[in-house]
Structures are given as structure tokens and as C-alpha cells.
Amino acid sequence: MKTVLCYGDSITWGTDPANGGLRHAPDDRWPSALQAGLGTSFHVIAEGLGGRTTAFDDWLVDADRNGARILPTILQTHRPVDCVILMLGTNDLKPGTAGNAASAYLGMKRCVEIVQQHSPRLPGAMPAKVIIVAPPHVVATKDPFFADLFDGAIVQSHKFAGYYAALAVEMGCGFFDASTVAKASAIDGVHLDAANTRAIGAALVSKVKEILAN
């Protein structure tokens, strides 16, 4: 059985913008859709945390949102992992965090390095393969709080695919642009409805099979 770790933020956790930020039903979260598509020969682990960044601190919250700092612990917890899907960067675009896609690129690069350098410390186990996922674009919203919280993020989010695709080539990773199958809800401009969330998982099925076949 192959183990696939989905490491991300609130989109991976399954935030429902139409329900006050509560969670989508389990079957409507993209890691669940991925599991359904891959079948019983794969074990998909969902590791999503709202507000998680690639590698930046957020001192306004009650849990560590720095993805790079927590990632080694998660890898060791679930060892051995065959494939890690990294979908992070949207929270990096907050002006109070980093504010641009270039910084997210650097943070994502650090996350990839952590996965590729991780030793599972088990006989015969190798470092996991990586799929970098560019998050869906941020869209316009009439929610004044989210509009301010992600000021400037609409333009910057359109740069994710270019940066992350180049990083995937540089680091020998798989790549997928989630904006090709999913669009954020205008309710808050960031999170996805159930159908768009499921679409990400369904689209990643072939990517996971491809990267683990080699």
C-alpha cells in the first residue's frame, strides 16, 4: 500500500465559505476525493490547517502556522510516506505575512527540500516523492474583512503556477495547477464550495499514479 500525505491549509482542511467557515463534509474534502479515486491500494492522509503558510510565522493565532517548521514532525509521524502533495501559498499572500508569490515560491522550495532530505529511518524506506500544487486563484469578494486581509492577493495568486511549475522542474517534482479545475467562491474570495474542492482531489488521481509509477 502506498501512503500519500496531503499537506496544506484551509482548502485541504475543507473550509466551507457558505457555512461560516465550518468544515465541508468528509466526502467533500479533496483528500477524500483523491482517496476515492485512487482506491484501496493507497492510503491518503489529510494534513490541512487553516492559515498555514509555506514557511512564515503568524503570531496572531493559537497554533503554529509555519508549514516548514511543522513538516518534519508530520513526515516522521506518518513515516514512511511515498508521496507528499504540497498545496500552500495562499496565506503567504496576506500583506502581514509576506505579500507576494515570489516569497511563497521560496517558502515552497524550503518545504520541498525538507521532504527530499527527510530520512524515514526505516529499512528500505526512501524519501517521499513530491507533487507541488499551485492553489486556486484568489477572486474578488464583497466581504470587507477578507478583501482587506488578502489585499493584492488576486494579482499575486495568478503568479503561483509560473513560479511553482519552474520550481517543480528545478527540484524534480510533479506539478499541478489547481486553478485549472477549481475556482474560489466570491463569498470570501479564497475558499471553495464542495464541488470545486472535490475537483482538486479527482484531478490529482492521475498525477499521483504517474509519479508513483516511476
Side-chain angles (χ1 to χ4, degrees), residues 3-85:
T3 298
V4 181
L5 175 66
C6 304
Y7 193 66
D9 51 30
S10 55
I11 295 175
T12 301
W13 186 78
T15 297
D16 181 358
N19 198 19
L22 296 179
R23 204 172 190 182
H24 285 303
D27 287 347
D28 289 330
R29 302 167 197 165
W30 74 259
S32 300
L34 176 61
Q35 177 70 79
L38 290 172
T40 56
S41 60
F42 293 81
H43 175 47
V44 177
I45 300 170
E47 279 287 353
L49 176 64
R52 178 175 279 153
T53 68
T54 58
F56 300 96
D57 290 328
D58 184 346
W59 299 108
L60 303 178
V61 291
D62 60 352
D64 194 342
R65 263 46 172 201
N66 187 317
R69 186 159 54 231
I70 297 299
L71 184 52
T73 300
I74 300 300
L75 291 169
Q76 195 71 4
T77 298
H78 298 294
R79 68 191 173 114
V81 175
D82 298 288
C83 176
V84 178
I85 301 174

Side-chain angles (χ1 to χ4, degrees), residues 28 41 51 93-94 104-105 153 158 181 201:
D28 289 330
S41 60
L93 301 184
K94 298 173 183 176
Y105 157 82
H158 282 260
V181 298

Side-chain angles (χ1 to χ4, degrees), residues 136-139 182-193 196:
H137 301 150
V138 177
V139 301
K183 183 176 181 179
S185 168
I187 293 175
D188 63 19
V190 175
H191 299 111
L192 315 180
D193 63 21
N196 280 276

